Amino acid sequence: MEKQLSLANNVIFVDYREEKIAGLLESMGCRVVRLKLEVGDYAINRIGIERKSFDDFVSSIIDGRIFGQANELSSTYEKPILILEGFGVVERIHENSFYATLAYLISKLGITVFRSKNEEETAKTIFWIAKKEFEEGGRAAYKVREKKVEVGSIQERIIAAFPGISTVLSKRILKKFGSLQKFFAAGEKELMEIDGIGEKIAKRIRKIIEEEVEVVS
């Protein structure tokens, strides 16, 4: 299933924070629609484009942001693209980490990576991507894939919300019981059969599940 926002003329959907590039695209004759994009900075039909400066890309490797952002981009658009803008010396991380991350985005997530010198070159890259996308005519559309609900991940996060339960432990619990219903029904002895859960944690889990609370409106 796809959610779709369409216009009669060919346009580029641009996140409202990308004003400089939006202006450059308009000066090149592009029709631009500014809006808040939940994923990516630019959307052209099935194509989603994320723009990152060289320094921000390095920072996102250090704090791990790039992997979550790249997964979102890849799962949202059929043709995900990363434009890495600017050049610099890789000093804050090992050079291997820099290139390994690029390789991961390309080989594992199917993201096409472009390099550009500056904002003007980025705008030209987006212009030509849009031109080729619209060559056969048709309606412009901002299309995103319907996200799949990862039930297992949601269940793990719910269990990990219990005090003393790590994400690793939540996986063990779910592996043993198979569902939240069986986990909630488990007694202290059953819980203590899991490596990492002692009597103290087991009692705390049962207390949280069983204790009634008064909700003040």
Side-chain angles (χ1 to χ4, degrees):
M1 292 291 291
E2 288 181 331
K3 294 179 181 178
Q4 179 172 322
L5 171 62
S6 298
L7 293 181
N9 298 308
N10 293 336
V11 300
I12 301 172
F13 295 92
V14 180
D15 188 87
Y16 69 94
R17 290 163 291 194
E18 295 287 300
E19 183 55 40
K20 177 68 181 294
I21 304 295
L24 289 170
L25 289 169
E26 286 175 325
S27 71
M28 297 167 73
C30 297
R31 291 178 59 84
V32 170
V33 170
R34 295 165 175 81
L35 73 168
K36 182 179 179 181
L37 288 175
E38 296 299 327
V39 179
D41 297 313
Y42 311 89
I44 309 165
N45 287 349
R46 301 160 295 166
I47 300 170
I49 303 173
E50 175 81 18
R51 177 175 76 102
K52 275 195 175 296
S53 69
F54 182 87
D55 288 339
D56 184 42
F57 183 71
V58 172
S59 296
S60 69
I61 295 174
I62 293 172
D63 62 24
R65 280 183 294 120
I66 185 61
F67 302 104
Q69 292 171 344
N71 271 296
E72 282 282 304
L73 189 70
S74 179
S75 62
T76 299
Y77 299 98
E78 288 183 24
K79 297 181 180 179
I81 293 173
L82 170 68
I83 297 180
L84 186 52
E85 186 179 282
F87 297 90
V89 179
V90 183
E91 295 178 323
R92 291 184 291 158
I93 58 174
H94 195 283
E95 190 179 62
N96 288 348
S97 297
F98 179 85
Y99 289 108
T101 301
L102 286 177
Y104 175 82
L105 301 185
I106 295 167
S107 64
K108 300 300 183 183
L109 299 181
I111 296 175
T112 300
V113 179
F114 286 97
R115 300 295 302 270
S116 75
K117 292 185 295 186
N118 49 38
E119 292 172 323
E120 287 73 20
E121 195 166 289
T122 295
K124 288 178 183 177
T125 300
I126 296 171
F127 169 84
W128 280 103
I129 291 171
K131 183 175 176 61
K132 291 300 178 183
E133 177 68 14
F134 295 140
E135 266 184 353
E136 295 180 3
R139 297 170 65 86
Y142 161 37
K143 301 177 181 178
V144 298
R145 293 175 180 171
E146 193 73 39
K147 290 186 179 180
K148 295 180 180 178
V149 178
E150 298 293 341
V151 176
S153 296
I154 295 171
Q155 291 176 329
E156 286 176 13
R157 288 198 294 270
I158 291 172
I159 296 172
F162 282 75
I165 303 298
S166 65
T167 53
V168 173
L169 201 49
S170 70
K171 290 179 185 294
R172 290 180 194 165
I173 291 171
L174 198 55
K175 184 177 181 180
K176 176 177 175 58
F177 296 113
S179 69
L180 289 178
Q181 184 177 20
K182 290 180 180 178
F183 165 63
F184 289 143
E188 290 180 21
K189 289 184 178 180
E190 287 180 282
L191 292 169
M192 289 169 62
E193 291 174 2
I194 298 171
D195 183 28
I197 297 183
E199 184 178 356
K200 184 177 180 180
I201 294 178
K203 286 182 178 297
R204 185 186 300 156
I205 290 172
R206 289 311 314 164
K207 184 175 187 295
I208 292 172
I209 292 173
E210 296 171 2
E211 188 171 300
E212 295 183 5
V213 295
E214 183 178 345
V215 179
V216 179
S217 58

